[in-house]
Amino acid sequence: MKDLAPTPVLGFIAFSGTGKTTLLEQLIPLLRKRELEVALIKHAHHDFDIDIPGKDSYRLRKAGASQTLVASRKRWALITEHGELPEPDLAGLLRQLDHDRLDLVLVEGFKHEAFPKIELRRESLGKPRLYPDDDAIIAVATDRPAAIAATRSLSVLDLNQPDAIADFVHQWVISSGKA
């Protein structure tokens, strides 16, 4: 696997309803406590808005602005309308980030791209396993760790232990030599 970015990139993949967003919402503050600066890229499968209908930015974008930048002293966000294009690739999105300010990029989705990933599994959902068909999967976080055998190339994590998953991710960043 080639390096996608100057910053370590780690994906979290699973079928819908497994809890990717919930886990990442728990992990980000735990990683921040470990003094990691974290960015997140999330793949959306549908039309989405980040600004609120009725607000000025939304109204101006809907009026036809192809780029809308909303800024304050605390943050800024750039919304770019592309029309109908092919799905974005992860490498192109990674180029949009300021890697000088980051220790880690977490990715939710993009399961068909080749980069290090953690598969999330809830056995009760009955979905097929993504590992071992995807050799980029470095760990499986599951609600039934005993159901999956760990190997030298695959760690098994308890999906209900976000602190342990944060420890795993932190060690992975350190071992990447870029933190």
Side-chain angles (χ1 to χ4, degrees):
M1 265 172 276
K2 64 181 173 94
D3 283 336
L4 285 173
T7 307
V9 178
L10 182 61
F12 287 78
I13 60 170
F15 289 95
S16 182
T18 305
K20 296 181 299 291
T21 301
T22 300
L23 177 62
L24 287 167
E25 188 176 30
Q26 295 169 335
L27 279 180
I28 290 169
L30 295 171
L31 294 169
R32 296 280 298 148
K33 282 183 183 176
R34 289 162 175 82
E35 299 183 0
L36 293 177
E37 290 294 328
V38 179
L40 179 93
I41 295 177
K42 177 179 172 59
H43 184 262
H45 292 282
H46 48 334
D47 191 21
F48 69 95
D49 280 313
I50 62 166
D51 51 350
I52 301 168
K55 291 293 188 179
D56 292 351
S57 62
Y58 181 90
R59 291 172 45 214
L60 296 168
R61 182 173 55 84
K62 288 296 186 180
S66 61
Q67 293 189 42
T68 306
L69 195 142
V70 182
S72 73
R73 68 167 66 170
K74 289 189 171 192
R75 70 187 59 91
W76 63 269
L78 174 63
I79 305 160
T80 304
E81 294 291 330
H82 295 290
E84 291 295 320
L85 292 176
E87 285 291 325
D89 69 319
L90 184 55
L93 295 172
L94 285 165
R95 286 191 294 272
Q96 305 304 312
L97 299 175
D98 180 0
H99 291 274
D100 291 337
R101 298 180 57 194
L102 296 173
D103 298 308
L104 172 64
V105 178
L106 299 175
V107 177
E108 182 179 337
F110 294 93
K111 67 181 160 192
H112 299 295
E113 294 209 30
F115 67 102
K117 297 172 257 194
I118 295 176
E119 176 184 357
L120 278 56
R121 290 205 44 79
R122 291 200 185 277
E123 297 298 328
S124 62
L125 295 178
K127 299 290 185 184
R129 291 182 176 172
L130 301 171
Y131 177 85
D133 295 334
D134 183 345
D135 62 0
I137 294 173
I138 62 169
V140 175
T142 177
D143 56 353
R144 289 189 37 220
I148 299 171
T151 67
R152 272 190 333 168
S153 61
L154 180 75
S155 297
V156 177
L157 308 167
D158 188 330
L159 186 54
N160 298 311
Q161 299 295 324
D163 270 311
I165 296 171
D167 287 340
F168 175 85
V169 171
H170 188 219
Q171 287 304 311
W172 180 81
V173 170
I174 290 169
S175 71
S176 74
K178 297 181 182 177

